Amino acid sequence: MDNDSFGEGAGSKRPPRDPGTPDFEPSAPAPARTVRLAAGDFLLTVNPVDGSEIEPAPPGGPAAMAPPVRRTAAERAEHERAAQPPVPPGPAAARLPLLERETEREHIGRLLARGRSLRITGPAGSGRTALLDAVAEDCADLAPDGVVRLNGCHRTPADLLHELFAAVHHAPRHRPGRAELLRRVADIGAVVLLDDLEFGGAALSELLDATPECAFVLAAAPEVAEPAAESRLEEVPLAGLGRAASLELLRRVAERPLDEDETNWAGDLWFESEGLPLRFVQAGALLRQCDELRERLGDEPGAFAAFTPSEGAGGAGAAPPTPTLAQGAAPAPLLASRLSESARKTLRFAVALGGEVPHQAHLPALIGDTHADTAIGELLGCGLLSPVGGRYRLAAGVLLQLKEQGYADESAAHAHAAAQHYTWWTGHPSVTPERAALEADAVVAALTALVASRTAGPDAEDTTGHPSAAVLLARSAAPAFAAGLHWGAWERALRIGSEAARIAGEVAEEAYFHHELGVLALCTDRVDRARAELETSIGMRGALADKRGTVAGRRALALVDDREKGRVPGGSAAGPAAALRPG
């Protein structure tokens, strides 16, 4: 079944058109959309034009208007399905076996059955995600609220708690305040599989303390900060595969037995890579590509004359030999050189976006090929992409390898093109805030790339107009992220947009971003920050004689005053959830 949230229909059926692109021209004007949300003790109206408006909630609070409803098991499964990475078009890829992980898998199952939490640590490419997939199958019926899959990449503890709340509760247009959030997640009883964790210490303790009825399996790289001693998490180290298992994985990926030269090459690669499974998935793809070249070009003399040694061929007219150890250790350039033009262009966009891969539904528009969405399947098949939550990123080490081969030479131009596309797309009336929020990481990456390229120094390539492009994208995307309840991305887009507006000298836009940051800070009970941002915005708008914007800012600032004086419920008293405020 196709779990592509941007389109509909079975994954093996080719859609007649790009399902993620609205059936309108990019130049068509889009009316401003306002969205009304329940946010803690406030009602928030996201206004993309003059700035969001905030007012106290009616008696009984927002939850009394539309209380969250606990999802059924079927609804949780559907929510989980929608959050998975999209299935690429074409035949389904064969699922690789989980080799030499039986001991860890059984140990994790026993700990979870006793309600214990643990942390899996292993380097990127060691198979942490594959092990979590197996654990999810083993523990499907272990807890009353089932298994919840979360991803910690670019996520704060507050982000993860809100995502856990949304996985178990149906609460459209409702973002609970801190007190309600803690009360509701404390009642959740689930096995939480949290991949790509990026924090430890006190922040991790806050997350665990807020969810006493959940058992966590945390997967993190060794360089991530360790948990606090009082958390009593058991560590499960994930080492590389043994030599026999590595060769078996290579055979499975190559889809054939290995000859003597290939076996010796694989043994050297195993020693060099310390048995990381990802390296053998990529090595198997190299062998499979050689086989496809032989089959396609035949054995006639000179059939491989067009291939240079750097592309994997031997001398002129020779069939591609077994890859060298250097090619096996850094296989991305060679793998990419044998893929389609659309796949290579996709890699250039991913490099420009710091490793983030645009959703497959956007690739036809970005690349200019109606079937460019098939590039995702090509890249996955040779181990150049890894799933991260509901999206894909370049696999470990691939970004650096491609940069060294010149894939970053036109990064500023590719980031600019992506920003222009996303500006139109996020602001289009057919694109819901929820759909825009699913693409938030790639959008924020485009914003970051535009601002970073503008300040890269005198030797950077020409980036004229890019700060203004970043302002336009932030203005279009930030309201969608707010309405889609992805407030971590909302804040990042606002901060980058504010910096871009300052660089571009667009004072009115800078005032808008400060206003939105003030409203966000008020919604998350950071009163001092809210006052500073709103006063900055009011000052700028006053200088510009922007009466409507100034009035909106003063209304929000009046709520800050009321909050400080205790006139609005909720207050700002410190408590155990203080660390859950987004930073």
Side-chain angles (χ1 to χ4, degrees):
M1 179 179 292
D2 183 7
N3 63 6
D4 181 353
S5 61
F6 285 62
E8 298 177 355
S12 59
K13 183 180 179 180
R14 289 291 300 167
R17 57 181 293 278
D18 172 16
T21 304
D23 197 12
F24 295 91
E25 293 297 324
S27 58
R33 296 176 295 178
T34 59
V35 177
R36 196 171 176 85
L37 305 173
D41 301 310
F42 300 102
L43 293 181
L44 175 65
T45 301
V46 179
N47 183 343
V49 179
D50 301 313
S52 298
E53 302 168 12
I54 186 170
E55 58 185 302
M65 301 171 54
V69 178
R70 212 173 187 93
R71 298 182 189 271
T72 64
E75 290 170 339
R76 289 198 308 270
E78 175 61 22
H79 180 84
E80 171 72 15
R81 185 201 67 82
Q84 293 299 307
V87 175
R95 184 173 179 179
L96 295 174
L98 186 66
L99 301 174
E100 280 194 354
R101 301 300 188 210
E102 293 82 3
T103 301
E104 291 89 346
R105 187 173 177 176
E106 294 174 0
H107 181 57
I108 292 170
R110 288 194 298 269
L111 290 175
L112 292 176
R114 298 184 346 235
R116 296 282 303 278
S117 294
L118 60 130
R119 191 176 82 144
I120 301 171
T121 53
S126 60
R128 299 189 307 253
T129 302
L131 179 57
L132 289 182
D133 291 340
V135 171
E137 296 177 358
D138 297 341
C139 303
D141 301 320
L142 196 59
D145 289 314
V147 174
V148 175
R149 298 291 298 265
L150 301 177
N151 191 276
C153 184
H154 303 155
R155 299 297 189 270
T156 65
D159 292 333
L160 292 172
L161 282 179
H162 279 284
E163 291 179 14
L164 175 60
F165 164 80
V168 179
H169 298 87
H170 178 66
R173 300 287 187 265
H174 178 78
R175 182 179 173 93
R178 192 172 69 224
E180 182 190 358
L181 175 66
L182 292 177
R183 184 175 68 253
R184 291 191 179 277
V185 298
D187 291 335
I188 294 176
V191 174
V192 181
L193 307 182
L194 176 51
D195 203 0
D196 299 312
L197 180 69
E198 294 184 342
F199 55 84
L204 180 56
S205 295
E206 294 285 355
L207 176 64
L208 298 176
D209 292 344
T211 53
E213 300 301 318
C214 291
F216 279 81
V217 181
L218 311 167
E223 59 269 19
V224 173
E226 294 184 356
E230 59 271 16
S231 65
R232 295 186 297 176
L233 285 175
E234 182 161 342
E235 292 283 338
V236 178
L238 207 59
L241 301 177
R243 189 177 188 277
S246 298
L247 266 63
E248 175 61 21
L249 179 58
L250 181 59
R251 283 191 290 269
R252 295 289 188 100
V253 178
E255 300 176 352
R256 62 169 175 79
L258 306 178
D259 62 27
E260 184 178 355
D261 288 342
E262 291 166 344
T263 300
N264 293 333
W265 171 69
D268 293 339
L269 183 62
W270 172 78
F271 183 79
E272 185 275 334
S273 69
E274 299 182 342
L276 286 182
L278 174 63
R279 301 286 281 278
F280 286 88
V281 171
Q282 295 169 338
L286 284 176
L287 297 182
R288 198 170 61 243
Q289 284 184 339
C290 288
D291 294 342
E292 292 168 355
L293 285 172
R294 294 188 185 99
E295 182 178 351
R296 185 168 71 249
L297 300 179
D299 297 326
E300 297 84 358
F304 293 89
F307 293 93
T308 65
S310 63
E311 291 173 323
T322 301
T324 66
L325 180 59
Q327 290 169 337
L334 180 55
L335 286 167
S337 71
R338 295 167 171 173
L339 298 177
S340 68
E341 182 65 20
S342 292
R344 291 195 296 273
K345 287 183 177 179
T346 299
L347 289 175
R348 293 187 182 277
F349 273 102
V351 170
L353 300 182
E356 293 290 343
V357 180
H359 190 283
Q360 62 191 30
H362 294 288
L363 295 179
L366 290 172
I367 293 173
D369 179 355
T370 56
H371 295 302
D373 52 348
T374 59
I376 298 296
E378 287 188 72
L379 297 171
L380 280 172
C382 54
L384 294 180
L385 302 186
S386 295
V388 178
R391 64 193 196 281
Y392 295 109
R393 281 183 58 88
L394 294 181
V398 172
L399 179 61
L400 180 59
Q401 294 172 34
L402 293 178
K403 281 184 174 181
E404 292 176 347
Q405 291 296 316
Y407 275 74
D409 290 349
E410 299 179 358
S411 284
H414 284 95
H416 194 191
Q420 290 177 314
H421 170 77
Y422 284 133
T423 299
W424 162 70
W425 182 76
T426 54
H428 202 281
S430 72
V431 179
T432 66
E434 291 75 17
R435 287 171 67 190
L438 290 174
E439 193 73 358
D441 290 281
V443 173
V444 172
L447 282 168
T448 303
L450 290 181
V451 175
S453 67
R454 181 63 177 81
T455 58
D459 297 328
E461 64 178 282
D462 181 24
T463 56
T464 302
H466 286 193
S468 294
V471 171
L472 289 174
L473 176 54
R475 281 291 258 121
S476 177
F481 296 159
L485 299 180
H486 193 342
W487 282 15
W490 184 25
E491 181 164 11
R492 283 181 283 161
L494 292 174
R495 294 200 180 283
I496 299 171
S498 176
E499 174 65 11
R502 184 192 63 79
I503 294 172
E506 300 183 27
V507 179
E509 303 295 1
E510 189 177 358
Y512 165 84
F513 291 122
H514 282 297
H515 174 88
E516 294 295 283
L517 285 167
V519 170
L520 172 61
L522 180 55
C523 287
T524 53
D525 204 23
R526 295 174 290 170
V527 181
D528 292 342
R529 169 65 67 180
R531 177 177 293 281
E533 298 286 0
L534 290 170
E535 288 179 346
T536 300
S537 175
I538 291 169
M540 289 180 169
R541 284 176 160 174
L544 295 170
D546 179 359
K547 294 183 179 180
R548 293 181 61 180
T550 301
V551 169
R554 292 195 180 281
R555 286 176 177 169
L557 190 59
L559 282 179
V560 174
D561 293 334
D562 290 343
R563 192 71 151 185
E564 290 178 329
K565 297 173 182 177
R567 296 173 185 168
V568 178
S572 57
L580 302 181
R581 305 170 187 172

